[in-house]
Every structure is written in C-alpha cells, then in structure tokens.
Amino acid sequence: MKILISNDDGYQSPGIAALANALQQFSEVTVIAPDRDRSGASNSLTLENPIRARQHENGFISVNGTPTDCVHVAITGLLEEEPDMVVAGINNGANMGDDVLYSGTVAAATEGRFLGLPAMAISINSFSPQHLESAARAALELVQRLSDPSLTTEMILNVNVPDLPWSEIKGYQSTRLGHRHKAEPVYKERDPRGHPIYWVGPPGAEQDAGPGTDFYAVRSGYVSVTPLKVDLTNHQQLQQTAAWLKDI
Ligand code: MN
C-alpha cells in the first residue's frame, strides 16, 4: 500500500514526522508538504506562479505552495505511481466544527478523495502537543482498518485526537461536526507608519458541542472520527429555491 502524507503546518512540523514514522510500519510512505506553515489555506490552489518541489535529506519533499497544491501536484504528475490514499496531519490544533472550512489539513485530505482508499485528516487538540505518539498510534490503527478495498472511495475522515497519553484515551467515537459561534473580532493595530493593520482573531467559542459532536467526543477523552462529504448543495432547500425563482 502506498500512502501520500501531507499537512498544512509545513514539512518541518513534528506532527508530520510522527505521522510518517507511524505509517512507515505499515506502508510505503511519501511526504509532500508545504515549505512553511500554511494553516488556514483551505482548498486554495496556486495558479499564477510556478510550483517548485525540493527533496530534503530525510526524503521529505517540500513545495512552495498550499496543502492542496502539494496533493494535487503529487497525484497528477509529480509521483510516478498514484498512491492508494492521502493522510494529512498530524495538525497542531484541533480541526472541529466550522474549522474544517478553513483547514488546510482537511483540504489536503479532500484533494485525495478520488484515490483508491478513503482519505484522512488527523489533528491533535493542542497547539503545543505533548502526546503526538497518541495521535500517531490512532492514525496507524485507523489506516490499518481502512486498508480494506471494499470501502468507498471519496470517503473523507476527519480525525481529532485528545492530547493525552494513550492509556488515558477512552477509544474511538464516530461523530458529526459541531458548530462554533461567530469568530472573535480581529485584532486591530497600527503599523509604524500609522496605517491600520488587522490580525485574524481566534475562532468562535463552541456552540453546538453536545453529545454526538466532535467537540464533545474529544472533550470526553475519545478519538473523534467524522465522515465528511464535499457536496455543498443544500438539498433540503432545492424545492424552496425553485419556487422562489418562479416569482421573478
Ligand atoms: Mn495547521
């Protein structure tokens, strides 16, 4: 089995090394990741500039682009053989609820959705994780389980792991995405010339975060596994939209 590993924290992130290390025990691994932190890049592609790939001493390949660039370029030409699946992470910080819309980690997995096996994004619930080995172990267990070719392709799993020693993790839970409140305000400052500048603020607090959600599972000490789909159509509103269009 061949696995393509990427992330949005950059090829030097400890999380991607932990993930590559774990999955190497089970499969042939190629690491292609952004050359710097591209968290929040979502599904963006670089269209106006050339994309360059550089191989490093440890075999990892860095790309001067986004997570989606990395996976797109890898599976459409850079790699000689198509991988069976993409695994993205281990991201510094959880990607739960509305975070998945902005996440480059989830985007990297999404870009691998047409390969032979389900794609997976994996994140740990801390910005300075102490227990990457727990998330790496969860990644390995899940990938071993996913290597069954009868599983549907186009399946994307969004995995979030509590930053706890493995012995304190209670197991796996399948979850739905929760929701957050509106984001916190931007930080507004002045640059040295007196012009206003803005820093994007923190995400909103958890809103829909009760039992059944990713937020709840991780808070309760479980590895949260959410199946995602890319269809953004609001099927429930199709009829209403058609009716409304008639009146124009
Ligand atoms: Mn990130």
Side-chain angles (χ1 to χ4, degrees):
M1 184 158 124
K2 291 184 293 294
I3 297 182
L4 172 62
I5 290 180
S6 193
N7 75 351
D8 72 2
D9 293 334
Y11 77 103
Q12 290 177 308
S13 157
I16 202 168
L19 180 63
N21 236 352
L23 297 187
Q24 257 159 19
Q25 302 169 38
F26 182 69
S27 55
E28 197 184 307
V29 154
T30 307
V31 176
I32 306 185
D35 61 1
R36 67 198 75 175
D37 189 344
R38 300 302 302 263
S39 295
S42 188
N43 299 84
S44 53
L45 278 172
T46 300
L47 299 178
E48 299 290 334
N49 290 301
I51 297 170
R52 294 178 202 276
R54 247 182 78 197
Q55 185 147 25
H56 300 270
E57 263 180 30
N58 63 357
F60 289 10
I61 296 169
S62 69
V63 163
N64 63 333
T66 65
T68 301
D69 288 332
C70 292
V71 177
H72 189 87
V73 165
I75 63 185
T76 58
L78 193 157
L79 295 178
E80 273 169 29
E81 276 184 284
E82 202 172 69
D84 301 297
M85 75 186 297
V86 172
V87 181
I90 299 164
N91 188 60
N92 264 358
N95 277 305
M96 303 193 287
D98 307 306
D99 303 339
V100 303
L101 284 177
Y102 304 100
S103 168
T105 312
V106 174
T110 303
E111 192 64 16
R113 70 190 178 281
F114 294 122
L115 299 173
L117 289 170
M120 191 167 93
I122 183 159
S123 308
I124 190 162
N125 189 28
S126 168
F127 287 105
S128 45
Q130 305 299 305
H131 299 285
L132 273 174
E133 77 286 350
S134 295
R137 179 167 172 169
L140 178 61
E141 289 189 357
L142 288 165
V143 165
Q144 282 173 326
R145 191 80 184 178
L146 286 174
S147 60
D148 175 357
S150 72
L151 284 165
T152 3
T153 56
E154 292 188 50
M155 182 157 111
I156 305 158
L157 294 179
N158 184 40
V159 180
N160 284 280
V161 184
D163 188 24
L164 293 172
W166 188 255
S167 58
E168 289 174 33
I169 291 182
K170 293 183 189 150
Y172 295 88
Q173 248 177 31
S174 80
T175 57
R176 65 179 177 86
L177 298 177
H179 288 287
R180 290 185 183 278
H181 284 283
K182 190 170 151 248
E184 298 293 320
V186 291
Y187 303 111
K188 194 175 173 182
E189 303 282 344
R190 298 240 165 229
D191 73 10
R193 295 197 173 93
H195 302 301
I197 52 172
Y198 302 91
W199 288 96
V200 170
E206 299 170 10
Q207 181 180 39
D208 169 16
T213 64
D214 46 5
F215 291 114
Y216 190 85
V218 168
R219 205 184 319 121
S220 312
Y222 289 89
V223 176
S224 161
V225 181
T226 309
L228 302 178
K229 62 172 182 175
V230 175
D231 182 0
L232 293 177
T233 305
N234 186 341
H235 292 273
Q236 285 162 329
Q237 293 206 327
L238 266 176
Q239 271 193 323
Q240 195 191 330
T241 307
W244 164 81
L245 285 172
K246 264 191 222 148
D247 297 334
I248 296 182

